[in-house]
């Protein structure tokens, strides 16, 4: 899988921007509308919870978009998504559980996507039958 630096950079930036639009814009629009209607329709509060949950998926959505633009296999794309979720920093380990808050740091996400992308390009299909075992493990470490 040969790709030049410009293609890799554009795939990462385009995937990140599509992920941001998909994860954040619906929440911004719907939450503004719901805020106005909430005094009359308190049942709409669930919409804000759903859009907040969608916002926390920004790292995974961006990684899937990058994987699709790069024409990665499903294993490679899923592995990139796992790495992005860990690298974005919106999941936090507490004493008793794992909590998620916010979208994570977009700069960290972009760096994680770039590193994961390069690992996939370097290893690509070289691992043959062990790809399913090693790519997810190497991406999340």
């Amino acid at each position: 899988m040969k790709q030049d630096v410009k293609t890799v950079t554009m795939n990462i930036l385009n995937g990140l921007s599509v992920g941001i639009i998909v994860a954040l814009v619906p929440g911004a629009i719907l939450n503004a509308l719901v805020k106005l209607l909430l005094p009359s329709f308190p049942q709409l509060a669930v919409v804000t919870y759903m859009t907040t949950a969608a916002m926390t998926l920004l790292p995974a959505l961006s990684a899937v978009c990058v994987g699709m633009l790069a024409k990665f296999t499903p294993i490679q794309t899923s592995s990139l998504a796992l790495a992005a979720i860990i690298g974005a920093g919106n999941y936090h380990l507490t004493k008793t559980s794992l909590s998620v808050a916010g979208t994570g740091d977009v700069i960290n996400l972009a760096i994680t996507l770039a590193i994961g992308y390069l690992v996939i390009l370097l290893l690509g299909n070289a691992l043959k039958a062990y790809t399913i075992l090693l790519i997810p493990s190497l991406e999340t470490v």
Side-chain angles (χ1 to χ4, degrees), residues 33-47:
L33 292 172
V34 168
K35 188 189 250 185
L36 294 172
L37 298 172
L38 206 54
S40 300
F41 301 102
Q43 302 86 352
L44 290 176
V46 72
V47 173

Side-chain angles (χ1 to χ4, degrees), residues 3-109:
Q3 294 184 11
D4 62 345
V5 175
K6 180 181 177 184
T7 304
V8 171
T9 304
M10 291 309 295
N11 284 345
I12 292 169
L13 292 176
N14 287 333
L16 187 60
S17 62
V18 170
I20 288 170
I21 291 168
V22 169
L24 302 182
V25 170
I29 293 169
L30 289 174
N31 287 348
L33 292 172
V34 168
K35 188 189 250 185
L36 294 172
L37 298 172
L38 206 54
S40 300
F41 301 102
Q43 302 86 352
L44 290 176
V46 72
V47 173
T48 60
Y49 300 131
M50 289 186 287
T51 56
T52 301
M55 287 180 200
T56 63
L57 294 174
L58 170 64
L61 293 171
S62 295
V64 168
C65 292
V66 169
M68 291 175 67
L69 290 169
K71 296 178 178 42
F72 287 163
T73 66
I75 292 171
Q76 293 168 334
T77 302
S78 301
S79 300
L80 187 61
L82 288 174
I85 289 168
I86 293 168
N90 59 338
Y91 284 82
H92 304 284
L93 190 61
T94 63
K95 288 185 179 185
T96 58
S97 65
L98 184 67
S99 66
V100 61
T103 59
D105 187 359
V106 177
I107 300 297
N108 285 352
L109 174 58

